[in-house]
């Protein structure tokens, strides 16, 4: 049966659209992919491990070389208990509670007084490790710290170096606090899952 001119033209148009779409997908298809699954083992991620560290965090507000400096002192801070104040830190992490004990890292970040009813801090800090095989790696912590609670727990939200894809938590316990200077030594137990 002979095809009409319309049927031939229509078939050719459909065929042309199909070929055009195939060419567009072949040329541009891979560039439009936003994300793709990767093999963890091909990127050096083997078995996940749990590591525990115990360090002492030294917050020094006074003296000739403070490691914690108030960078935001809101108006009426004496009337509202300091709510809104922000302190930047570069605190020593040591193996023992004595400040002159072995330095194993630095805690760099900030804490802000985020509660109007208690001494409740928003803490954002990186534990930059300088000891052993973890030298150069970091653990990132972001959480709530109610300073006068016996134990405070904050989540580990990531890390770098040997702590890539880190997750876990820290528990903070005040070891010593000087009410006059504000200096504090806090024991941190770090429980971190990493590859």
């Amino acid at each position: 049966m002979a095809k009409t001119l319309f049927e031939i033209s229509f078939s050719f148009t459909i065929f042309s659209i199909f070929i055009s779409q195939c060419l567009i997908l072949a040329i541009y298809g891979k560039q439009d992919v936003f994300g793709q699954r990767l093999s963890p083992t091909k990127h050096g991620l083997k078995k996940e491990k749990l590591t525990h560290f115990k360090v002492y965090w030294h917050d020094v507000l006074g003296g000739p070389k403070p490691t914690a400096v108030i960078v935001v002192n809101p108006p009426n801070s004496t009337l509202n208990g300091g709510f809104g104040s922000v302190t930047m830190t570069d605190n020593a992490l040591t193996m023992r509670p004595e400040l002159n004990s072995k330095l194993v890292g630095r805690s760099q970040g900030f804490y802000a007084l985020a509660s109007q009813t208690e001494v409740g801090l928003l803490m954002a800090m990186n534990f930059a490790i300088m000891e052993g095989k973890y030298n150069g790696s970091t653990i990132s912590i972001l959480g709530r710290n109610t300073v006068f609670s016996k134990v405070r727990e904050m989540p580990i939200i990531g890390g770098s170096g040997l702590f890539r894809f880190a997750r876990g938590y820290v528990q903070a316990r005040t070891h010593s606090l000087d009410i006059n200077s504000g200096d504090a030594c806090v024991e941190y137990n770090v429980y971190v899952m990493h590859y």
Side-chain angles (χ1 to χ4, degrees), residues 24-25 28-35:
I24 288 170
L25 284 174
Y28 299 107
K30 292 190 186 235
Q31 294 176 1
D32 290 341
V33 175
F34 179 70

Side-chain angles (χ1 to χ4, degrees), residues 68-145:
V69 178
I70 297 172
V71 294
V72 174
N73 202 1
N76 300 322
S77 62
T78 54
L79 299 175
N80 65 14
F83 172 70
S85 66
V86 179
T87 302
M88 292 299 298
T89 66
D90 184 11
N91 292 343
L93 296 173
T94 62
M95 286 189 69
R96 307 277 312 137
E98 299 78 28
L99 185 54
N100 62 357
S101 69
K102 184 172 183 168
L103 182 71
V104 294
R106 308 275 325 163
S107 171
Q108 298 166 330
F110 70 88
Y111 54 84
L113 192 51
S115 175
Q116 295 183 48
T117 58
E118 63 185 326
V119 183
L121 304 175
L122 162 66
M123 301 198 69
M125 57 188 166
N126 290 313
F127 279 11
I129 309 300
M130 304 169 7
E131 178 64 23
K133 71 178 184 176
Y134 302 107
N135 184 22
S137 299
T138 65
I139 297 169
S140 298
I141 300 161
L142 175 67
R144 183 172 189 257
N145 182 351

